Amino acid sequence: MLFIHDTYFYWMHRMMHHPKLYRKVHLIHHKSTNPSPWTAYAFHPLEGFLEALIAPIIAFSLPVHISAFGFFFLFQIIYNVYGHLGFELYPKGFHKTIVGKWINTSVSHNLHHKRFNGNYGLYFLFWDRIMGTIREDYDTTFEKTTASEN
């Protein structure tokens, strides 16, 4: 479910950055240039509809127990809020680990809100890395953000 949702979200999110859709739909979400947890669900109704389409996609493509489906949606809510925290929870150096290189972080999504392009993923960074949309300033920004940790 995470991989399907991440793939769907990456491409839908990139589509939302097309100039016409961005101005009319996605700009509402991007008015938060320094996001907070409230930003996670501040968006245009059309964008909300498109994001909600993941439910029938998963329901009709995977044999998933209702409790697993419920846990997945709880997880996606929590991870979306984490992505919009405005501060980082992962530890210093996490972005350079074998796992951390592929996990989306709050720093990554915060950069997306500050610069309005790149870092389109939800849970993972592999689509951003494969498609060349990971921001060049991601590593240095992550390091600066987590430098004050002990």
Side-chain angles (χ1 to χ4, degrees):
M1 288 185 284
L2 291 176
F3 291 106
I4 289 170
H5 190 199
D6 192 70
T7 299
Y8 174 80
F9 183 86
Y10 176 86
W11 291 104
M12 186 269 305
H13 193 188
R14 280 198 70 179
M15 180 183 72
M16 286 288 141
H17 280 264
H18 182 278
K20 288 183 181 178
L21 283 173
Y22 185 83
R23 279 191 312 274
K24 294 180 180 180
V25 178
H26 196 51
L27 177 62
I28 291 170
H29 181 68
H30 270 278
K31 290 194 178 206
S32 293
T33 55
N34 186 22
S36 74
W38 299 110
T39 308
Y41 292 96
F43 43 70
H44 188 280
L46 177 60
E47 186 170 358
F49 174 78
L50 291 173
E51 289 195 25
L53 283 178
I54 192 61
I57 290 170
I58 289 173
F60 291 110
S61 64
L62 292 175
V64 178
H65 190 274
I66 190 70
S67 62
F69 198 65
F71 180 74
F72 164 71
F73 272 92
L74 177 62
F75 177 80
Q76 75 88 27
I77 288 167
I78 292 167
Y79 211 82
N80 195 7
V81 168
Y82 155 69
H84 291 89
L85 278 180
F87 60 90
E88 187 56 63
L89 296 178
Y90 285 118
K92 179 179 181 178
F94 176 77
H95 68 299
K96 293 289 189 178
T97 65
I98 292 170
V99 173
K101 181 178 180 180
W102 302 102
I103 302 294
N104 200 4
T105 64
S106 185
V107 166
S108 172
H109 199 67
N110 195 290
L111 278 171
H112 174 78
H113 273 264
K114 285 185 178 181
R115 308 285 189 250
F116 308 110
N117 62 11
N119 299 3
Y120 298 105
L122 179 58
Y123 308 116
F124 308 111
L125 296 175
F126 62 82
W127 282 113
D128 280 306
R129 292 194 186 280
I130 290 168
M131 300 308 294
T133 55
I134 189 94
R135 290 196 50 82
E136 290 181 14
D137 53 351
Y138 170 60
D139 286 333
T140 56
T141 305
F142 191 94
E143 289 164 10
K144 287 177 189 174
T145 303
T146 58
S148 62
E149 293 182 7
N150 293 326

